[in-house]
């Protein structure tokens, strides 16, 4: 077989050489040890938590080392492409602080190593495809879908491995005349890799997360170019990672079965193999067992879920850091004033088996993060969330920003700030009672007390209420009211023997809280009344009395 003649026959339009491409995309001028890595999603429209995990790992590895993070769009599968999916991905990752130094962007490609969308790089792949053919490392295959299906049926009947290899590789050693005859009839063809591997041989490979792996060689003559001339993922990613000078590839460990072929392909192309960081999947407990987060079963897999729920970006980022590096929380406690992005992330501490996603812990992390924010920050983020997901509430907040900010300031700051909110979605239920339209005017009072007892308490409060009282005087009157009704103001004694009194000062406070806030739990009631003002506070107690009398 004259492989050079075959290469020219298949790719007559290709005149560029691999050497010319090497010169066009030279090694990057970066410091020693700098990591060049990428995100290379398919534009399918679904952006999930795993994308963010991969993005954070890639971004930290690149930027902590003085390297480069780029975005490459792997759009070779046109059937699965969703319009606008690239933009959705870019915006979703940018929301969490994952920005790219170069690559595909909202305004087009940016950088010297593009194009960064694979369908625009077809001519580049054809250069390397022609080179492989000319060296006898690739060949055309004219098998139809029907022939391949029949082959698989025979392999199944004979109980042998599936695939296009050995005696099953029908076009592997056909003479040039047979190929010319097929081309003359304009028969469609794919380009296959000529594998020299054997399924009976194994070799050692070191992954940066999984450690030393024992890998079986690839013996399948895999497809490099599809019949439309567009490359498969395998071929395209090898060419792209080399020409874009990728040093580290961060990807899910579902790609481990493809690793033998990828190694083989890099070697055949004469490329230096990048270091691989195969990360485990995100897991969750399902009963007593673990399973992978599922697109079908678990809404929390989608990144849009966290925005819709109103998790602050910092909370999600912080939580993911706790999953990736076990020493992150200790570092955070020792450095409370620093951003999670200041943490010295290490790929060496990634869990080879994957991390266990714990929604309850995410909520706890989010509460802690929100508790450290200023009232102004909380107001701004709640306002933005409400504008997007509850415009009516957003308008109420926007009507008086100072009032809303003062509400969020209750219990904020100090050594033990309140931790009422885990998400912005919880803001309205938490503080909506400050707005008359969201007040629950029919909130039930504690059922163990008679309406008469509650009326006595509320009327007694109104009779001594003085808006000029400070917090101490205000609560002193509440205690005095409790004692006048035979309730105890000594909570320690009450807990020792609750049956000795009809109730405690805490119950009197609950009556007032329900009347004024429509809730049995709220921020400090004195402060709440100060913000509502005397007229609205008194009116709410009177409205409750009317309801009790009614």
């Amino acid at each position: 077989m004259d492989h050079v003649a075959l290469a020219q026959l298949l790719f007559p339009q290709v005149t560029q050489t691999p050497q010319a491409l090497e010169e066009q995309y030279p090694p990057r001028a970066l410091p020693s040890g700098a990591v060049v890595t990428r995100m290379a999603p398919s534009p399918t429209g679904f952006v999930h938590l795993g994308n963010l995990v991969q993005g954070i790992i890639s971004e930290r590895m690149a930027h902590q080392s003085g390297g480069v993070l780029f975005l490459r769009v792997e759009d070779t599968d046109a059937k699965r492409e969703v319009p606008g999916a690239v933009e959705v991905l870019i915006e979703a990752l940018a929301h969490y602080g994952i920005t790219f130094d170069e690559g595909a962007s909202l305004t087009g490609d940016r950088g010297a190593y593009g194009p960064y969308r694979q369908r625009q790089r077809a001519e580049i792949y054809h250069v390397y495809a022609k080179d492989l053919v000319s060296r006898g490392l690739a060949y055309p295959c004219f098998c139809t879908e029907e022939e391949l299906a029949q082959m698989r049926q025979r392999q199944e009947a004979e109980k042998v491995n599936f695939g296009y290899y050995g005696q099953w590789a029908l076009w592997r050693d056909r003479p040039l005349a047979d190929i010319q005859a097929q081309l003359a009839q304009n028969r469609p063809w794919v380009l296959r890799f000529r594998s020299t591997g054997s399924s009976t041989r194994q070799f050692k490979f070191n992954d940066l997360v999984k450690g030393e792996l024992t890998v079986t060689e690839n013996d399948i003559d895999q497809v490099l170019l599809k019949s439309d001339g567009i490359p498969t993922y395998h071929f395209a990613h090898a060419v792209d990672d080399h020409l874009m000078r990728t040093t580290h590839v961060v990807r899910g460990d579902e790609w481990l079965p493809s690793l033998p072929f990828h190694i083989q392909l890099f070697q055949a192309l004469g490329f230096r193999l990048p270091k691989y960081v195969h990360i485990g999947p995100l897991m969750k407990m399902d009963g007593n067992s673990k399973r992978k987060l599922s697109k079908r079963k678990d809404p929390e897999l989608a990144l849009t879920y966290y925005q819709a729920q109103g998790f602050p970006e910092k909370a999600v980022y912080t939580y993911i850091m706790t999953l990736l590096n076990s020493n992150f929380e200790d570092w955070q406690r020792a450095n409370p004033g620093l951003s999670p992005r200041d943490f010295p992330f290490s790929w060496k501490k990634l869990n080879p088996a994957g991390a266990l996603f714990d929604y309850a812990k995410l909520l706890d992390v989010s509460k802690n993060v929100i508790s450290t924010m200023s009232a102004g920050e909380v107001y701004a983020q709640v306002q933005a969330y409400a504008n997007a997901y509850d415009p009516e509430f957003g308008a109420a907040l926007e009507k008086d920003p100072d009032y809303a900010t003062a509400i969020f300031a209750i219990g904020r700051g100090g050594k033990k700030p309140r931790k009422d909110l885990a998400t912005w979605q919880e803001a309205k239920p938490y503080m909506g009672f400050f707005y008359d339209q969201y007040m629950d005017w029919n909130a039930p009072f504690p059922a163990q007390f008679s309406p008469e007892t509650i009326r006595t308490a509320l009327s007694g409060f109104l009779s001594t209420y003085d808006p000029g009282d400070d917090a101490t005087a205000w609560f002193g009157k509440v205690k005095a009211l409790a004692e006048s009704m035979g309730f105890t103001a000594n909570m320690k004694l009450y807990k020792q023997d609750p049956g000795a009194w009809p109730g405690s000062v805490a119950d009197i406070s609950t009556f007032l809280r329900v009347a004024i806030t429509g809730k049995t739990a709220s921020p400090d009631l004195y402060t709440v009344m100060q913000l509502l003002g005397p007229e609205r506070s008194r009116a709410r107690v009177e409205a409750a009395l009317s309801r009790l009398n009614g």
Side-chain angles (χ1 to χ4, degrees), residues 48-340:
H48 55 80
L49 198 59
N51 295 132
L52 182 57
V53 169
Q54 181 192 353
I56 290 176
I57 294 171
S58 301
E59 188 274 334
R60 289 291 77 200
M61 289 179 64
H63 293 158
Q64 285 185 171
S65 65
V68 172
L69 173 67
F70 64 89
L71 176 64
R72 183 174 73 228
V73 179
E74 301 196 336
D75 55 357
T76 57
D77 190 347
K79 294 179 181 178
R80 297 179 63 216
E81 184 171 350
V82 174
V86 175
E87 290 74 14
V88 169
L89 176 81
I90 292 171
E91 290 173 346
L93 293 177
H95 180 73
Y96 294 99
I98 309 300
T99 56
F100 299 93
D101 303 299
E102 64 183 54
S105 74
L106 296 176
T107 57
D109 284 2
R110 177 167 49 89
Y113 288 80
Y116 294 93
R117 300 169 196 256
Q118 287 182 332
R119 292 188 74 85
Q120 298 175 11
R121 297 173 62 83
E123 293 180 2
I124 293 175
Y125 306 128
H126 288 183
V127 171
Y128 287 98
K130 183 175 184 178
D131 178 65
L132 287 174
V133 174
S134 70
R135 293 189 285 126
L137 299 176
Y139 62 91
C141 168
F142 295 87
C143 285
T144 64
E145 292 293 333
E146 291 75 17
E147 289 172 325
L148 293 174
Q150 291 171 7
M151 178 191 300
R152 184 178 179 87
Q153 290 175 356
R154 293 199 303 273
Q155 289 173 336
E156 185 174 14
E158 295 181 24
K159 294 182 170 54
V160 297
N161 292 336
F162 295 133
Y164 197 94
Y165 64 94
Q167 70 183 73
W168 306 98
L170 303 181
W171 282 90
R172 181 182 175 105
D173 295 311
R174 290 288 187 94
L176 183 59
D178 287 359
I179 295 173
Q180 288 172 321
Q182 296 294 314
L183 292 174
Q185 297 177 44
N186 292 318
R187 291 279 303 277
W189 54 276
V190 299
L191 188 71
R192 289 187 179 273
F193 181 73
R194 184 185 296 272
S195 174
T196 58
S198 169
S199 61
T200 63
R201 292 197 300 264
Q202 294 181 321
F203 61 96
K204 300 293 185 182
F205 176 80
N206 188 63
D207 181 81
L208 293 188
V209 174
K210 305 292 186 182
E212 186 177 80
L213 302 174
T214 299
V215 180
T216 301
E217 288 185 353
N218 168 66
D219 65 339
I220 305 296
D221 285 5
Q222 305 276 10
V223 174
L224 301 179
L225 293 180
K226 292 174 280 190
S227 58
D228 60 0
I230 296 298
T232 59
Y233 164 81
H234 307 289
F235 186 41
H237 105 280
V239 172
D240 293 344
D241 279 339
H242 172 68
L243 291 181
M244 295 177 184
R245 307 300 174 175
T246 306
T247 64
H248 292 69
V249 172
V250 180
R251 64 185 185 183
D253 60 9
E254 68 271 15
W255 286 106
L256 281 173
S258 300
L259 182 63
F261 175 47
H262 293 170
I263 294 172
Q264 191 179 49
L265 189 53
F266 270 84
Q267 290 172 342
L269 289 163
F271 298 161
R272 182 178 179 178
L273 191 71
K275 292 181 170 62
Y276 283 97
V277 181
H278 284 100
I279 56 179
L282 288 171
M283 312 289 287
K284 73 177 293 185
M285 295 303 298
D286 192 349
N288 295 321
S289 60
K290 294 180 183 178
R291 64 168 174 79
K292 290 172 61 174
L293 281 175
S294 160
K295 178 180 178 181
R296 182 171 58 86
K297 296 180 180 180
D298 305 307
E300 65 269 32
L301 182 61
L303 270 195
T304 51
Y305 173 85
Y306 299 93
Q307 289 176 263
Q309 292 293 307
F311 281 96
E313 168 273 322
K314 184 179 178 182
V316 177
Y317 189 100
T318 299
Y319 175 65
I320 289 178
M321 275 298 182
T322 70
L323 297 179
L324 298 182
N325 276 190
S326 58
N327 62 323
F328 172 76
E329 289 177 275
D330 289 338
W331 174 88
Q332 191 174 44
R333 281 189 287 270
N335 301 277
L338 296 183
S339 163

